[in-house]
Amino acid sequence: MLDFGLTGKNAIVCASSKGLGLGCAQALAKTGVNLVMCARGGELLEKVAAAIRSETGVTVKTVACDITSAQGREAVLAAAGHVDILVNNAGGPPPGDFRDWTRDDWIKALDANMLTAIELIKAVVDPMIDQRFGRIVNITSGSVKSPIPQLGLSNGARSGLTGFVGGIARQVARHNVTINGLLPGQFNTDRIEGLIDNTARQQNKSPEDVRAELEARNPSGRLGHIDEFGFACAFICSAQSGYLVGQNILVDGGSFNSNG
Ligand code: NAP
């Protein structure tokens, strides 16, 4: 039997009422990890948390909040108390033309996809060092390796987080605290649905055609499932993954054409 060595550990999984965050929460719960989950919408959050509790028996606390706000982060950290695992995630910035983006648009993107993760890392990393165990996973995007033209706000903010993390991951690794990026390609979530609709409008095509093109372009011939993303997250968090440090791991069906 494969044991991830995580039974009884405590995780914060940000932005996890659906999509990739939910996939990570579900997978960690299956390895015996107790969860603090958050999202702005409390109703769906509580519904998915109840399903995880009844399926796995782990303790799941929910915090309905905006994780990009200081109050939201404080509420999540207070609910968690002791933290062994932190999965950073938040909604992605909108697509668009860089000529239209104001300073406020940039600050919002940086807050959501860079500074929120940095603030949470800052809050948990020293206690993780003291306890000689910590796993931090930043959900970023395949755009870190292969920028997506219309998602410039996302490309910029996530690259900033990746650069910062690359440095500190190597400062904390000797304490069995790892920090890695998990980079989604295209997964079947509400977020991708919105991007498909946007492309369909721009290219005057039906959303079904745009989706079929995306699937056909991917070497796996399909979009990813959140379970597959969650499993990769649980693997990075496993007790055995202490030597996996400062990496940016793509889960994209082979879409990024590279050997490394
Ligand atoms: P999703 O299906 O739209 O789910 C987003 C989740 O985050 C929901 O639970 C949402 O709940 C929560 N959330 C959003 N903003 C939040 C906030 N400010 N505070 C707390 N919770 C928040 O999105 P996804 O596809 O899982 O994407 C997750 C991240 O991965 C995004 O940053 C996205 O850009 C990135 N990404 C996704 C893909 C993909 O293929 N899906 C590819 C590359 C990158 P509430 O709305 O109730 O808050």
Side-chain angles (χ1 to χ4, degrees):
M1 289 282 278
L2 178 61
D3 179 356
F4 278 27
L6 296 177
T7 307
K9 300 267 190 225
N10 295 319
I12 292 175
V13 185
C14 301
S16 51
S17 66
K18 58 185 177 180
L20 303 176
L22 176 59
C24 294
Q26 289 169 331
L28 286 169
K30 284 179 190 157
T31 70
V33 172
N34 299 313
L35 302 172
V36 175
M37 299 172 66
C38 81
R40 291 162 303 182
E43 204 174 317
L44 178 60
L45 180 64
E46 191 41 54
K47 192 172 152 203
V48 297
I52 292 176
R53 284 184 203 109
S54 79
E55 193 193 337
T56 63
V58 301
T59 301
V60 184
K61 296 180 190 169
T62 58
V63 182
C65 69
D66 181 345
I67 196 65
T68 69
S69 72
Q71 304 92 298
R73 288 190 291 275
E74 273 164 32
V76 165
L77 289 165
H82 175 97
V83 182
D84 301 295
I85 295 168
L86 167 66
V87 180
N88 278 314
N89 185 31
D97 186 321
F98 71 93
R99 294 172 188 83
D100 299 329
W101 294 327
T102 63
R103 178 177 167 77
D104 281 351
D105 295 321
W106 273 107
I107 298 297
K108 212 169 153 198
L110 293 173
D111 266 341
N113 299 115
M114 179 180 172
L115 300 174
T116 288
I118 291 174
E119 287 295 332
L120 287 170
I121 291 170
K122 215 166 80 182
V124 302
V125 79
D126 286 328
M128 284 178 173
I129 288 171
D130 291 342
Q131 74 201 18
R132 293 198 63 78
F133 181 90
R135 298 285 182 264
I136 299 175
V137 176
N138 298 314
I139 299 179
T140 58
S141 169
S143 70
V144 166
K145 297 211 183 216
S146 179
I148 303 169
Q150 69 276 22
L151 286 176
L153 291 169
S154 170
N155 299 337
R158 297 184 200 280
S159 296
L161 176 64
T162 303
F164 166 74
V165 159
I168 64 159
R170 287 157 177 94
Q171 289 174 263
V172 301
R174 68 184 57 246
H175 306 288
N176 191 25
V177 176
T178 69
I179 313 180
N180 291 285
L182 193 52
L183 283 50
Q186 282 157 342
F187 279 78
N188 240 327
T189 67
D190 287 3
R191 163 84 174 167
I192 210 78
E193 217 59 66
L195 294 175
I196 285 174
D197 287 347
N198 184 61
T199 306
R201 270 193 307 277
Q202 274 180 353
Q203 299 181 357
N204 209 13
K205 293 177 179 166
S206 73
E208 292 73 25
D209 284 350
V210 174
R211 171 180 283 275
E213 285 168 13
L214 277 184
E215 290 172 346
R217 266 205 305 275
N218 191 294
S220 300
R222 62 181 176 86
L223 304 187
H225 192 277
I226 63 168
D227 286 354
E228 296 170 305
F229 194 80
F231 180 80
C233 177
F235 163 73
I236 295 172
C237 294
S238 70
Q240 297 89 339
S241 291
Y243 210 52
L244 184 62
V245 171
Q247 299 303 302
N248 290 290
I249 298 167
L250 273 168
V251 186
D252 71 349
S255 179
F256 183 62
N257 192 6
S258 156
N259 290 325

